Amino acid sequence: MSDFIRVQAHLCIGCRTCEIACAQAHDGETQPGGPFYPRLKVVKREAVSAPVMCRQCENAPCVAICPTGALVQGKRSVEINDALCIGCSGCVMACPFGVIEIVNPSGQEGVQPVKCDLCCGHESGPACVAVCPTAALEKVAGGEVAQTVTMRRRTTAFPGR
Amino acid sequence: MNRFITVDARECIGCHACEVACAVAHNQQAWPEKTAFNPRIRVVFRGQESVAVTCRHCNDAPCVDSCPVAALTRREQEIHLDEALCIGCKNCVLACPFGAIEMVTAQQRGIARKCDLCESTPQGSPACVTHCPTQAITLMDGSTLNALRRRRQQATATGDFGGTQTPLRSHTLLLRPERKGAAKLPADQRKSHFNEIYQALDVRQATSESERCLYCADKAWCNWTCPLHNAIPDFIRLVNQGDILAAAELCHQTSSLPEICGRVCPQDRLCEGACTMQPRGGAVSIGNLERYITDSALAQGWRPDLSAVQPRPERVAIVGAGPAGLGCADLLARSGIQATVFDRHPEIGGLLTFGIPPFKLDKQLLQTRREIFSAMGVRFQLNCEIGRDVAFDALLEEFDAVFLGVGTYGLMAAGLEHEDAPGVVQALPFLIASTRRVMGLEDDPQTPFIDVTGKRVVVLGGGDTAMDCLRTSVRSGAASVTCAYRRDEASMPGSKKEVINAREEGAEFLFNVQPQYIALDRRGRVKGVGMIRTRMGEPGPDGRRRPQPVAGSEFVLPAQVLIMAFGFQPHPMPWLARNGVHCDDWGLIETDGSTRTSHPKVFAGGDAVHGADLVVTAMAAGRQAARDIVSFLDEQAECKQEARR
């Protein structure tokens, strides 16, 4: 099962530090007014603020619709292969969470899909998780989901003990 | 008000009948693949207590709110999951507080799955409810829930909560005597001969053992766990009714050698380990009963009835007369196909005959089976090795299909110096030579007889084969017999009952020791094995803890005969590659997930495909191959007809 990032919205204070950390982790030092492509977006509404990003679905519609294999169902995440992207925007349309974007980074040729890759190239793990001042973000390993299910089932079977 | 499944914890006996019923109901009433067992209801255990847990069909379900694609919807009276719409985002799994939604892989897609109250099955009503033997599971709806409340309100008003409650169905059902099982000869008696140590059940014993079966369901946890899915509850019921011939008929529908499985299967790990009675006075003695049924039926003259079988023109060659080959031959004969079995040994059975010692399996049984199979029309070409006496090409030319059930006869080396010194012997040749003597066959120069009389024997390894070597050495008059195993006793991979038997017969056990070198005397013969003590370290990739050597704990264990029992690996068969049958890097024959190999006419199964394993898994693979061969031959016949038109 894929890993993913879990958000506890009630902890989010809307500081957008995660966005900056994400953009830096992927594209290096950002310049004011320069390209800024964080892979997650802090959404602010009256009652709630929360970062939203790719859920690394197991049966991902973005993968299903991608005609070139630029998005593939990997073992631990939905993986991106920039070089294959033709910018058809199919994935952007398909994603029910609105967390994929097609960008054309200035100074570079071609287009690329931008979505959370769990900072797969970084040993220290997702930058957003590391930087969040209130620990509202948490990386969940795929295997932990099955454990959570088992634990909840146990509590359902034998409540309160 | 939604309908939902509710479970009475006091009545749940943890029999898993609900899980099996659910998995089967959602698989067109057929057994699912071992890897695709995803029931929508799960039994949770804590000690002896158990409760089944499944979806509550909440009236304001958080899973529905969390689903971004409307795969989960509120329908009339239920929460509906449309698997076709699921994108596998796991939101619902995280939202459900009961752990009632699981991620599964179906048609190569990762999707969520949960209880659908069996609306997608032809039966339409929940299978778990129908199959629960204690009626612990019920389907509730608005009116039953209200009725329950009204009953309780009335009890509250009158103060009558039914002080003298009726006894629980589960308690009544579980009231059974303790397991007795088959009698075993006393150790000092059985040490002196090679006869079977377990005695047959008599009618009285068989009846009382059969009375212990709860008949959890027709498809119960025991027959789910059995690799052949033997109809265990039903054949035990027939024993109880005294209908041995019907029971034998039923046994033979799923198994080719039931009396042999009844003797050599590790039941404690399979059917009996899965028995609901196992923690309650002992599992039903399924193995003993299976043996009793076929032994008695054969003694009464019962034989498989193939009179209704329509003969077919096709002929199939089977390489190897072990459990895989015999399983395949059995089903082919029952489909009217002429099977010819080739084996290099002088008797059928493969490792059943030559690898399993006679005190576990009387060799007369295989002879009887050979006669039965021959009467069914199976031909045997014994003392005939493919690649030596007959070329594999000739089989491909002469037969319509070929099945390879060649087993794994390669031996695992320990990587120690002097492994070829006199006195060091591999387990399999040692056992084969001993069995040949017991059977009155002449010695085979490929497996020379090793005399252990009056000698100190050390066996390296801790599996069932190691136990066979220990017990064979005891019976052959060894002065002392010691098993040296590198892990602790709890980590031994084989059957617990074999360890107990070996210990009773006087074998000594040394745990947590690892061989380092073989010590030789001046004439170059083995005089001992250099050991180092180990302690259990971190778990390895297979989940088993790795033994770590303890520095400074070296010692020499004296031995005049050293038997290496580290398991089996594939033996080289160059004639396979030459004919386009591919093997993987370990030498195991590659198949496409079924039993088809890279050669269209060649099928394979058993140890040669999945690596050394049990008799019963080999037989299951052989039988599957027969089904695959029949559909292959059907396709061929259809093609020919097409061509003629």
Side-chain angles (χ1 to χ4, degrees):
Chain A
M1 208 185 295
S2 304
D3 304 339
F4 61 100
I5 290 172
R6 184 180 198 172
V7 179
Q8 288 183 280
H10 66 279
L11 294 178
C12 177
I13 53 173
C15 66
R16 298 183 65 189
T17 318
C18 51
E19 286 187 15
I20 296 167
C22 179
Q24 277 191 345
H26 288 88
D27 305 317
E29 212 53 49
T30 49
Q31 302 299 322
F36 183 63
Y37 302 124
R39 274 70 174 157
L40 78 177
K41 165 86 183 142
V42 176
V43 177
K44 294 190 194 181
R45 304 296 300 273
E46 237 170 78
V48 70
S49 73
V52 293
M53 80 287 287
C54 171
R55 311 305 293 256
Q56 319 292 349
C57 303
E58 308 292 318
N59 181 30
C62 57
V63 172
I65 207 157
C66 180
T68 61
L71 289 164
V72 286
Q73 196 84 51
K75 277 215 165 63
R76 319 257 344 220
S77 67
V78 172
E79 295 168 5
I80 315 164
N81 192 343
D82 290 346
L84 298 178
C85 179
I86 56 171
C88 72
S89 301
C91 54
V92 182
M93 295 293 295
C95 175
F97 301 105
V99 291
I100 311 184
E101 194 181 356
I102 300 286
V103 302
N104 181 356
S106 59
Q108 281 178 42
E109 271 185 38
V111 289
Q112 65 180 71
V114 160
K115 70 160 202 72
C116 169
D117 60 357
L118 298 170
C119 286
C120 58
H122 302 255
E123 250 175 51
S124 48
C128 55
V129 173
V131 84
C132 177
T134 60
L137 297 149
E138 171 198 12
K139 183 177 168 187
V140 181
E144 286 172 43
V145 176
Q147 273 174 24
T148 307
V149 169
T150 310
M151 239 171 52
R152 286 185 186 169
R153 209 186 271 145
R154 180 159 289 274
T155 325
T156 308
F158 303 107
R161 284 184 290 173
Chain B
M1 183 74 199
N2 284 346
R3 300 186 302 158
F4 62 102
I5 301 282
T6 182
V7 183
D8 184 346
R10 298 166 310 162
E11 293 285 19
C12 178
I13 56 172
C15 68
H16 298 272
C18 50
E19 291 182 2
V20 177
C22 177
V24 168
H26 290 88
N27 192 44
Q28 288 91 43
Q29 294 302 316
W31 294 107
E33 291 287 316
K34 276 276 161 204
T35 48
F37 186 73
N38 298 310
R40 297 131 200 261
I41 184 167
R42 293 276 188 178
V43 184
V44 182
F45 287 85
R46 193 181 58 187
Q48 283 248 12
E49 294 172 279
S50 61
V51 192
V53 173
T54 188
C55 173
R56 302 291 175 97
H57 293 269
C58 307
N59 290 296
D60 186 14
C63 56
V64 173
D65 293 333
S66 78
C67 181
V69 293
L72 279 157
T73 48
R74 297 182 178 88
R75 278 211 186 158
E76 203 185 337
Q77 296 203 321
E78 63 157 325
I79 299 300
H80 178 75
L81 169 63
D82 187 343
E83 291 187 357
L85 293 179
C86 176
I87 60 168
C89 74
K90 304 177 280 283
N91 268 5
C92 56
V93 177
L94 295 173
C96 173
F98 302 110
I101 309 184
E102 254 182 285
M103 295 302 297
V104 301
T105 307
Q107 280 121 43
Q108 283 105 48
R109 305 184 312 142
I111 50 168
R113 181 162 282 176
K114 72 164 200 74
C115 165
D116 64 351
L117 298 171
C118 283
E119 62 159 9
S120 66
T121 69
Q123 282 67 32
S125 63
C128 53
V129 175
T130 327
H131 287 85
C132 177
T134 58
Q135 294 146 46
I137 307 180
T138 38
L139 178 65
M140 299 292 279
D141 59 16
S143 68
T144 45
L145 198 59
N146 272 332
L148 177 73
R149 285 179 53 235
R150 268 199 304 279
R151 268 204 312 281
R152 290 183 178 168
Q153 286 165 357
Q154 277 161 19
T156 310
T158 58
D160 178 13
F161 288 94
T164 50
Q165 295 218 330
T166 45
L168 291 171
R169 286 181 296 276
S170 57
H171 283 184
T172 322
L173 187 69
L174 290 170
L175 275 179
R176 312 270 158 153
E178 295 234 322
R179 171 187 170 125
K180 290 205 186 68
K184 199 160 68 167
L185 288 179
D188 52 340
Q189 208 182 99
R190 63 191 197 233
K191 267 160 63 174
S192 60
H193 57 70
F194 278 87
N195 297 341
E196 284 191 355
I197 71 164
Y198 287 98
Q199 303 300 295
L201 299 177
D202 60 26
V203 184
R204 194 184 47 78
Q205 286 172 310
T207 311
S208 80
E209 289 298 327
S210 70
E211 250 145 39
R212 298 193 63 243
C213 177
L214 305 176
Y215 198 90
C216 303
D218 58 340
K219 286 194 167 73
W221 199 233
C222 51
N223 41 344
W224 162 250
T225 313
C226 172
L228 292 166
H229 302 315
N230 284 336
I232 295 166
D234 281 318
F235 73 58
I236 292 183
R237 181 174 269 187
L238 287 168
V239 170
N240 195 253
Q241 294 164 355
D243 197 346
I244 293 302
L245 299 188
E249 198 62 59
L250 188 59
C251 285
H252 282 77
Q253 278 176 21
T254 49
S255 176
S256 302
L257 306 161
E259 77 286 17
I260 289 172
C261 288
R263 284 171 167 88
V264 303
C265 266
Q267 284 99 6
D268 48 355
R269 281 199 280 150
L270 298 171
C271 53
E272 292 184 11
C275 178
T276 311
M277 290 302 290
Q278 203 270 332
R280 301 176 170 103
V284 176
S285 39
I286 301 169
N288 298 153
L289 287 167
E290 192 185 18
R291 166 182 169 176
Y292 165 80
I293 291 167
T294 309
D295 282 357
S296 325
L298 291 177
Q300 289 174 34
W302 176 88
R303 290 293 181 271
D305 178 15
L306 273 69
S307 56
V309 172
Q310 293 288 330
R312 293 175 53 143
E314 296 99 338
R315 297 168 65 237
V316 173
I318 293 172
V319 185
L326 294 178
C328 185
D330 178 30
L331 267 202
L332 287 178
R334 286 167 191 271
S335 313
I337 294 166
Q338 166 76 61
T340 307
V341 186
F342 297 84
D343 198 284
R344 58 177 161 163
H345 291 294
E347 180 57 275
I348 68 164
L351 283 190
L352 276 177
T353 303
F354 295 97
I356 294 179
F359 49 84
K360 278 164 76 177
L361 180 64
D362 187 345
K363 302 306 163 189
Q364 179 60 41
L365 291 166
L366 271 308
Q367 202 180 319
T368 312
R369 269 292 157 189
R370 176 160 48 76
E371 286 155 15
I372 293 172
F373 282 131
S374 301
M376 286 165 68
V378 177
R379 291 185 194 163
F380 291 103
Q381 297 267 338
L382 302 178
N383 289 313
C384 176
E385 188 172 344
I386 302 303
R388 190 189 65 191
D389 305 311
V390 172
F392 187 59
D393 319 39
L395 296 187
L396 287 175
E397 221 160 90
E398 207 180 315
F399 291 89
D400 298 289
V402 179
F403 172 71
L404 298 169
V406 289
T408 47
Y409 281 80
L411 306 167
M412 295 271 211
L416 301 175
E417 217 180 319
H418 308 307
E419 259 183 86
D420 50 356
V424 183
V425 55
Q426 283 282 355
L428 192 55
F430 172 76
L431 291 174
I432 292 178
S434 163
T435 303
R436 288 183 80 102
R437 286 261 170 124
V438 176
M439 287 172 72
L441 297 167
E442 55 185 83
D443 289 353
D444 180 352
Q446 284 187 359
T447 55
F449 181 75
I450 311 290
D451 189 7
V452 298
T453 318
K455 291 184 180 159
R456 294 183 67 104
V457 177
V458 171
V459 178
L460 301 180
D464 283 343
T465 307
M467 301 306 120
D468 292 347
C469 293
L470 293 170
R471 299 172 65 196
T472 299
S473 303
V474 167
R475 284 164 175 76
S476 307
S480 76
V481 178
T482 309
C483 171
Y485 180 53
R486 63 200 185 110
R487 292 187 165 96
D488 56 2
E489 182 166 2
S491 309
M492 294 179 87
S495 181
K496 300 273 171 286
K497 86 181 171 197
E498 296 304 317
V499 180
I500 294 168
N501 286 338
R503 197 171 258 147
E504 283 174 357
E505 289 163 16
E508 307 261 347
F509 284 83
L510 269 180
F511 293 107
N512 298 309
V513 290
Q514 193 163 316
Q516 291 197 298
Y517 61 92
I518 296 167
L520 302 184
D521 63 13
R522 273 177 307 175
R523 287 179 302 156
R525 289 189 53 87
V526 63
K527 71 167 182 187
V529 52
M531 293 285 198
I532 188 162
R533 294 196 187 277
T534 61
R535 70 170 157 254
M536 298 305 277
E538 292 301 304
D542 56 354
R544 294 178 72 192
R545 293 170 69 189
R546 295 257 164 269
Q548 303 287 337
V550 180
S553 66
E554 295 88 350
F555 67 102
V556 174
L557 182 63
Q560 289 161 294
V561 174
L562 182 62
I563 304 176
M564 321 285 256
F566 294 121
F568 309 113
Q569 58 186 0
H571 53 286
M573 286 169 287
W575 38 272
L576 285 182
R578 278 206 302 273
N579 286 287
V581 179
H582 298 165
C583 295
D584 67 11
D585 294 346
W586 292 273
L588 296 170
I589 300 170
E590 280 184 342
T591 56
D592 64 349
S594 66
T595 60
R596 291 182 181 224
T597 68
S598 48
H599 189 295
K601 267 173 82 171
V602 181
F603 296 75
D607 286 2
V609 171
H610 54 229
D613 202 358
L614 305 173
V615 168
V616 62
T617 48
M619 194 193 302
R623 293 173 64 92
Q624 183 55 45
R627 286 181 215 112
D628 293 343
I629 290 172
V630 170
S631 52
F632 164 73
L633 294 177
D634 286 344
E635 281 165 33
Q636 296 291 103
E638 244 169 65
C639 283
K640 268 185 208 158
Q641 265 187 349
E642 288 281 312
R644 242 177 263 147
R645 270 186 226 145

